[in-house]
Amino acid sequence: SGADQQDAQELLNDMFDMLHEDGNRIQKKPYVEALEDKFVEKTELAKVGEEAWRRFLRRNRSAISDLSMGQVYNRVTCPHCNHSSKNFDPFTMLSLPFPTVAEVIFRCTIVRRATALNCPNTLYSIWKHPSQKYTPKTSTANLSPPSKELITEEYLIPMSRLADIGDLKMKLQNLSGIPSKNLRVCKREDIESNASDTKHNFTRIYTKVSALTDKEGPCIKLLQQPTLDDVSSPTIARIIAFESTLVVRPIEIPNNDTHSMASRAEVIDDASTTADEMSTDDSFSQTVTPVYQNKAEEQVVQEMLKVYGDEKECVVFDTNPTPIAKVISRSLWPKSPEDFTLGLRVDAIDHRNHWFPGSVIEIVVGGDENNPDEEAEEIGDMEPTMKVKVHFDNFSAKWDEIYSIESFNESRVCPLYSHATPRHKATEFVVHHRALDRKTKTHYLFGQSYYIQCHNEWSTARAGAHMLAQASRFLEIPPFRNSENGKKSDAADRKIAEKERNEARKVISRVIEALIISDRKYVESALDCGKEAQENEEHAPFDITVMSNILSKKLSEVLPLLPFDVRVTTASSPLGTNEEDASYPFSLVRTIGNFMNARHALVLNWRERPEKVNNQKPLAKKHFLYSPPFLASHKQSRALLYANQKDPSGNAPVKRHPSSSHGGLSIGVCLTEFCKEQQLDATGCWRCPVCKCEREGKQSMTLWNLPDLLTFHLKRFNASSRWREKISTRVDFPLTGLNMREWCDKDSPLYQESDDEGFIYDLVGVVNHYGGMTGGHYVAMCKATACGPDGDEEVAYSFNGEGVSELEVADEESAAPSSGWRNLGRNAKEKDSSSNASAKAVAESAEPLWLQFDDDLVEPLPPRNIVSETAYVLFYRRRRMHPANIAKYSPIG
């Protein structure tokens, strides 16, 4: 029955209820009807409140109801018919909430993926014919988020303190139109660059990003600021969200009665492993390996080949080649050592019988599987044995394995994803901008780092095209900008810079086209080889050397013309201070999922511009072609940011609530929050008696009748469906003279009294909570009132509070022996005589005595230590108690 409650507020509520029921003078409670709506509507409000209290007293008469129970006037208004339902509810304790502005405002920058709409100077010519020039419908300066023609957008989003990143992504989805599953929310940290030449704004700051999971939170804990527990005003935090750089191409499969839609969808989604029984029937040791496992797979691959590498590839869509990769693996499956092919994708089993996908990265001549460095012994005229080295996805090079043709025939090595399960998550890594400091000859990071995603089965050539397309976002500059990287420049300088930038964009377009065309040719050639192998057993083995040489020759001509060099480093060291800093390989025989993983990062090493361009004057205030994308702010977000930064005159920041000199909240703010009108949510809707249905009404509460002993509960514990927190904001409450008139209803009889003495309360006790949500400790404080000559407490005794705020505790050296509180300190030497010292100090002091109760330890406390951020329950007593209660409960001498 509540006896096991551990929360002090719950314990007090149960204690009030039990004391009231045990001391109730009404032994046989009569049936009392509730007030009728017609009576409430026609009768004066003061009489309605009086009648409600009278009916309550017919069943409840005790010391608790006389001293500690009051009335709250509760009004709920229907938003449709405007009917107001009026109720007068009794209370023994008022639970005061903290202000509802206790929220976190996220200043979120969204970085959209590069498309032909927001990077037209680079990608539009790939999508359309090069002769067609893109003409924007609206000037960039006039665009307002959300817009697909923008690269970066800024939103201000207010969030609950206990919301998580998943909730934030849903709000971003509603504002930007980007699905939440395609958003990567990250912390951002602006770090000052260590470059010696920092006269350009874009080299001064490096923005570091770190990803946040959907379940990470609560939002208030993501800020890492010293004022996290202060809920008196909203806190603005800066984060960044990246749109996924992948847009999977939808593949339309013609209807086929032979195979169900479920089977075709399974092939496209690639969600399950294929033919797990292959290891038992030795199907891959047969002379002819089936390229397609069934008609559904063949149909899917043929439809994908119609669009793979077309003009929309890398600009509008990004085809996931996993079904094609599985077919290519079977097409190039070796029957003899001479058929070994670089880049062959396989599934291989390790010594623990676990299957992992990998790629053939080297053809080894001679050596042993367990010891590849050992040279093979030649017996007679026997030629050295050819073997392959396999590098596994997501593993380092030390785990590479050597396999012979016997491993293929014995099904220890099988075609791709015949046993291993493909990863649904794309390969993801961070891209950094880097440059060389000319003075110190060291690298430094600058600009906005960002995330990029690539399909696991893309070749590094196809993934490289994707990387260059996304990097083109930092070569776009709006036509209205009259500066270069934060510095004003004249028209001649801007013209030279834009001419260089145009040349760089054309180079990037050429490289992207060359990579996509080469990748498509590789796929077609590999599949044709498999088809030829099924028709002719003596076909020529697939040779990737010619195609690779052609691509390498093309890239050797254009890659030096890029404004940056693409490098691969470790994620922990993007500056390239270790040995793992190498050029990115634009290769057809290595997949990006096999070459890179989460431990790697990509670096765009920006090159300095040449000293002269076509014998023209060099640009005076610019070193790189890097250009930060234009940041467009959401209109409503700008208004919200302005409201939270400046007052209407535009001078000082707005203080949302009155605060004390200590920086905390006044208890009046909490009382105002308790009485303000609030919208009822849809989960616990109120039923309108006129509409006869549930409505989201507006509720407001005011105080109608105040008791002599008024108890407040500060709602410090906040909880959501996932997170919990304790609010540690300090609430300043007066020790004496709390005037409650402001929060009483103006129609109440109590408010009509002209004398304010009926509203004045003095503090008599405090319950403090130390700890958090999972545990803590309670310490009580109580004001010891004066006693009469017979030892009985004088109920009507009150103290005017003069001198309390100015009270200071002097040092022990200057403390006078008869100066009240200065003698009440308790130390080890005074433990035996503390009782005598306290009694003497109370007799001589002009200040009220406060005692602290900490388990079995009771000791005096100076009044200035009463108010703290640990206060949880407050007990106030009316300065002028009702004469009836004084006569009833005061002792008769």
Side-chain angles (χ1 to χ4, degrees):
S1 61
D4 59 341
Q5 299 289 345
Q6 296 183 12
D7 184 80
Q9 178 259 341
E10 295 174 344
L11 174 63
L12 286 170
N13 270 331
D14 290 338
M15 185 188 70
F16 280 138
D17 290 341
M18 288 186 290
L19 291 177
H20 169 65
E21 291 299 331
D22 292 345
N24 197 348
R25 298 187 291 271
I26 308 293
Q27 298 297 325
K28 189 176 181 180
K29 297 183 179 182
Y31 173 74
V32 178
E33 293 184 355
L35 296 177
E36 297 180 356
D37 292 339
K38 294 182 179 180
F39 172 79
V40 175
E41 292 177 2
K42 296 180 180 180
T43 310
E44 185 180 352
L45 189 61
K47 294 183 178 181
V48 174
E50 182 181 356
E51 178 62 20
W53 185 248
R54 187 187 67 83
R55 295 192 180 193
F56 172 76
L57 292 180
R58 290 181 61 188
R59 295 171 55 89
N60 303 275
R61 283 190 178 274
S62 67
I64 299 299
S65 64
D66 294 339
L67 296 172
S68 301
M69 285 191 177
Q71 262 184 310
V72 170
Y73 174 41
N74 186 357
R75 182 173 62 253
V76 183
T77 304
C78 178
H80 291 268
C81 66
N82 293 325
H83 169 76
S84 294
S85 179
K86 305 171 184 178
N87 292 291
F88 293 86
D89 303 319
F91 71 89
T92 55
M93 182 184 299
L94 293 177
S95 293
L96 303 183
F98 285 84
T100 54
V101 298
E103 59 190 13
V104 180
I105 297 180
F106 282 100
R107 189 173 182 177
C108 181
T109 301
I110 289 184
V111 180
R112 292 183 177 268
R113 68 186 293 268
T115 64
L117 295 177
N118 56 16
C119 296
N121 298 313
T122 304
L123 303 181
Y124 189 80
S125 60
I126 302 175
W127 183 20
K128 298 295 184 181
H129 194 271
S131 61
Q132 297 181 2
K133 188 176 181 180
Y134 174 75
T135 303
K137 297 180 180 179
T138 308
S139 173
T140 310
N142 299 325
L143 289 175
S144 177
S147 174
K148 293 183 178 180
E149 296 185 42
L150 292 171
I151 298 176
T152 54
E153 303 172 353
E154 185 178 64
Y155 298 90
L156 258 71
I157 305 174
M159 297 293 297
S160 169
R161 289 166 58 92
L162 296 186
D164 52 29
I165 296 300
D167 302 326
L168 176 62
K169 289 173 66 174
M170 291 304 299
K171 285 198 174 184
L172 283 174
Q173 171 182 300
N174 297 334
L175 288 172
S176 65
I178 303 174
S180 60
K181 64 179 181 180
N182 294 339
L183 287 174
R184 185 64 151 155
V185 180
C186 304
K187 283 184 182 179
R188 61 175 298 169
E189 180 182 1
D190 292 336
I191 303 174
E192 187 175 353
S193 175
N194 57 358
S196 59
D197 183 11
T198 57
K199 64 181 180 180
H200 305 289
N201 286 350
F202 79 99
T203 61
R204 291 178 180 176
I205 300 298
Y206 160 62
T207 303
K208 182 181 178 181
V209 296
S210 55
L212 299 171
T213 61
D214 287 357
K215 294 183 179 181
E216 193 156 354
C219 288
I220 192 62
K221 296 300 181 184
L222 301 177
L223 302 182
Q224 299 299 325
Q225 294 182 4
T227 58
L228 295 183
D229 296 326
D230 184 11
V231 298
S232 59
S233 61
T235 306
I236 298 181
R238 298 191 67 185
I239 61 171
I240 190 167
F242 299 98
E243 182 185 11
S244 173
T245 57
L246 293 177
V247 175
V248 180
R249 185 193 294 267
I251 303 298
E252 298 181 1
I253 307 299
N255 190 16
N256 190 341
D257 297 336
T258 306
H259 302 281
S260 63
M261 291 298 295
S263 64
R264 293 197 296 273
E266 182 179 346
V267 175
I268 297 174
D269 189 52
D270 200 35
S272 61
T273 184
T274 58
D276 190 50
E277 65 277 1
M278 292 177 183
S279 60
T280 59
D281 59 6
D282 292 336
S283 59
F284 291 104
S285 62
Q286 300 174 2
T287 304
V288 179
T289 302
V291 176
Y292 297 102
Q293 292 184 342
N294 49 55
K295 290 293 184 180
E297 184 183 50
E298 182 178 4
Q299 192 175 22
V300 168
V301 172
Q302 293 301 323
E303 291 296 326
M304 293 182 69
L305 289 175
K306 293 179 181 178
V307 295
Y308 185 75
D310 62 2
E311 68 279 356
K312 294 183 179 181
E313 189 72 25
C314 196
V315 179
V316 181
F317 298 117
D318 303 292
T319 308
N320 185 355
T322 301
I324 298 177
K326 295 197 298 183
V327 175
I328 291 177
S329 178
R330 300 189 210 107
S331 300
L332 303 180
W333 199 250
K335 303 178 183 64
S336 64
E338 290 74 17
D339 295 335
F340 285 148
T341 305
L342 285 177
L344 178 66
R345 295 285 286 157
V346 299
D347 278 358
I349 193 171
D350 64 0
H351 61 283
R352 295 183 179 179
N353 293 327
H354 293 161
W355 290 90
F356 297 99
S359 295
V360 174
I361 61 172
E362 183 181 354
I363 298 178
V364 181
V365 179
D368 182 72
E369 290 191 31
N370 298 323
N371 188 7
D373 296 330
E374 181 181 347
E375 295 184 0
E377 297 182 2
E378 298 186 10
I379 302 176
D381 296 333
M382 182 180 295
E383 297 182 358
T385 305
M386 296 180 62
K387 299 177 182 179
V388 293
K389 177 186 286 188
V390 175
H391 176 77
F392 296 99
D393 299 0
N394 289 324
F395 285 88
S396 61
K398 69 178 182 179
W399 300 104
D400 293 353
E401 293 283 349
I402 304 293
Y403 296 96
S404 64
I405 191 63
E406 286 77 14
S407 300
F408 287 76
N409 295 332
E410 294 171 0
S411 296
R412 294 181 60 243
V413 181
C414 293
L416 181 65
Y417 299 138
S418 57
H419 293 78
T421 303
R423 288 181 295 161
H424 293 290
K425 188 177 180 181
T427 300
E428 182 180 69
F429 43 88
V430 181
V431 182
H432 304 273
H433 301 282
R434 191 176 73 183
L436 182 65
D437 193 324
R438 290 178 297 175
K439 293 183 179 180
T440 62
K441 303 300 180 181
T442 58
H443 288 103
Y444 64 92
L445 302 176
F446 69 92
Q448 175 65 66
S449 56
Y450 60 95
Y451 275 88
I452 189 172
Q453 296 82 27
C454 296
H455 289 304
N456 299 312
E457 296 304 323
W458 270 350
S459 66
T460 56
R462 172 61 183 89
H466 187 68
M467 298 172 191
L468 294 177
Q470 301 306 315
S472 65
R473 292 175 292 183
F474 299 92
L475 289 172
E476 295 289 330
I477 186 169
F480 61 87
R481 183 180 288 177
N482 61 354
S483 63
E484 281 294 327
N485 302 306
K487 295 292 183 180
K488 288 187 177 181
S489 57
D490 55 27
D493 283 348
R494 292 197 304 273
K495 186 176 181 180
I496 296 174
E498 187 58 26
K499 183 176 181 180
E500 293 183 20
R501 225 176 252 113
N502 281 331
E503 294 296 327
R505 296 178 192 130
K506 292 179 181 179
V507 172
I508 291 179
S509 299
R510 289 171 54 191
V511 175
I512 292 175
E513 286 186 272
L515 293 173
I516 292 178
I517 293 174
S518 298
D519 183 65
R520 177 180 175 84
K521 288 182 177 180
Y522 166 75
V523 170
E524 292 175 344
S525 300
L527 292 176
D528 291 341
C529 180
K531 183 178 180 181
E532 183 181 349
Q534 285 188 326
E535 298 175 353
N536 182 12
E537 295 185 4
E538 298 181 357
H539 73 286
F542 180 70
D543 188 7
I544 190 61
T545 307
V546 177
M547 298 181 63
S548 297
N549 292 337
I550 295 175
L551 177 61
S552 299
K553 184 178 180 180
K554 289 182 179 179
L555 295 180
S556 63
E557 299 174 356
V558 293
L559 287 181
L561 302 179
L562 289 175
F564 47 75
D565 183 24
V566 185
R567 311 285 296 182
V568 178
T569 65
T570 58
S572 59
S573 182
L575 286 174
T577 56
N578 54 20
E579 297 179 356
E580 296 189 36
D581 185 1
S583 296
Y584 177 82
F586 295 91
S587 172
L588 298 174
V589 298
R590 194 76 181 269
T591 62
I592 190 66
N594 184 261
F595 178 72
M596 295 188 69
N597 52 51
R599 297 183 296 272
H600 292 95
L602 201 69
V603 170
L604 302 182
N605 201 36
W606 288 80
R607 301 187 177 104
E608 292 187 2
R609 62 178 300 276
E611 293 296 329
K612 293 184 179 181
V613 181
N614 297 331
N615 296 324
Q616 296 181 6
K617 175 185 176 182
L619 196 60
K621 297 181 179 180
K622 181 174 177 292
H623 294 287
F624 310 110
L625 295 181
Y626 174 92
S627 175
F630 169 71
L631 179 62
S633 297
H634 194 235
K635 291 183 179 179
Q636 289 80 358
S637 298
R638 288 199 298 266
L640 181 61
L641 178 63
Y642 182 83
N644 284 277
Q645 285 185 339
K646 295 184 179 180
D647 60 8
S649 63
N651 296 322
V654 174
K655 289 187 177 180
R656 302 293 293 270
H657 297 288
S659 60
S660 68
S661 59
H662 302 89
L665 287 175
S666 169
I667 192 173
V669 175
C670 299
L671 282 165
T672 302
E673 186 72 17
F674 174 82
C675 296
K676 83 170 189 178
E677 186 178 72
Q678 59 181 340
Q679 183 77 39
L680 298 179
D681 56 14
T683 57
C685 287
W686 161 76
R687 183 176 177 83
C688 177
V690 177
C691 299
K692 305 297 182 182
C693 60
E694 293 183 347
R695 300 292 189 190
E696 297 181 10
K698 294 182 178 180
Q699 182 186 40
S700 62
M701 290 188 295
T702 53
L703 303 178
W704 187 266
N705 185 21
L706 295 176
D708 285 342
L709 301 180
L710 184 58
T711 306
F712 294 116
H713 159 237
L714 302 179
K715 300 174 70 174
R716 291 196 177 276
F717 298 105
N718 193 13
S720 66
S721 59
R722 183 175 296 166
W723 304 107
R724 300 180 299 172
E725 71 164 344
K726 179 186 175 183
I727 301 174
S728 298
T729 302
R730 173 175 169 146
V731 177
D732 290 328
F733 46 88
L735 272 62
T736 60
L738 174 61
N739 193 337
M740 296 295 296
R741 175 184 283 274
E742 178 182 350
W743 301 282
C744 289
D745 195 279
K746 295 182 179 180
D747 294 328
S748 66
L750 183 64
Y751 191 88
Q752 302 301 326
E753 297 180 5
S754 58
D755 189 2
D756 281 348
E757 285 296 321
F759 297 95
I760 303 302
Y761 285 80
D762 298 323
L763 186 71
V764 295
V766 180
V767 175
N768 297 285
H769 178 268
Y770 296 88
M773 293 293 300
T774 57
H777 180 66
Y778 288 104
V779 175
M781 300 174 183
C782 180
K783 184 168 75 172
T785 57
C787 297
D790 56 355
D792 293 327
E793 181 182 3
E794 297 180 2
V795 176
Y797 172 81
S798 62
F799 173 69
N800 58 14
E802 294 181 1
V804 172
S805 59
E806 292 81 17
L807 178 66
E808 297 292 342
V809 178
D811 297 336
E812 294 183 1
E813 298 178 356
S814 61
S818 61
S819 56
W821 281 108
R822 298 171 186 173
N823 276 344
L824 293 182
R826 188 176 187 182
N827 53 47
K829 297 180 180 179
E830 297 174 339
K831 284 184 178 180
D832 296 336
S833 60
S834 60
S835 299
N836 296 332
S838 297
K840 182 179 179 181
V842 170
E844 297 177 355
S845 176
E847 306 293 343
L849 173 63
W850 281 89
L851 298 177
Q852 178 175 280
F853 299 84
D854 186 357
D855 292 337
D856 60 344
L857 178 63
V858 181
E859 57 185 355
L861 193 72
R864 67 185 182 92
N865 291 347
I866 302 299
V867 180
S868 69
E869 63 276 3
T870 61
Y872 186 44
V873 182
L874 311 177
F875 300 90
Y876 277 89
R877 186 180 65 191
R878 198 197 304 264
R879 181 171 295 179
R880 190 182 68 184
M881 298 179 64
H882 285 100
N885 288 332
I886 296 177
K888 187 181 299 183
Y889 298 107
S890 295
I892 299 176

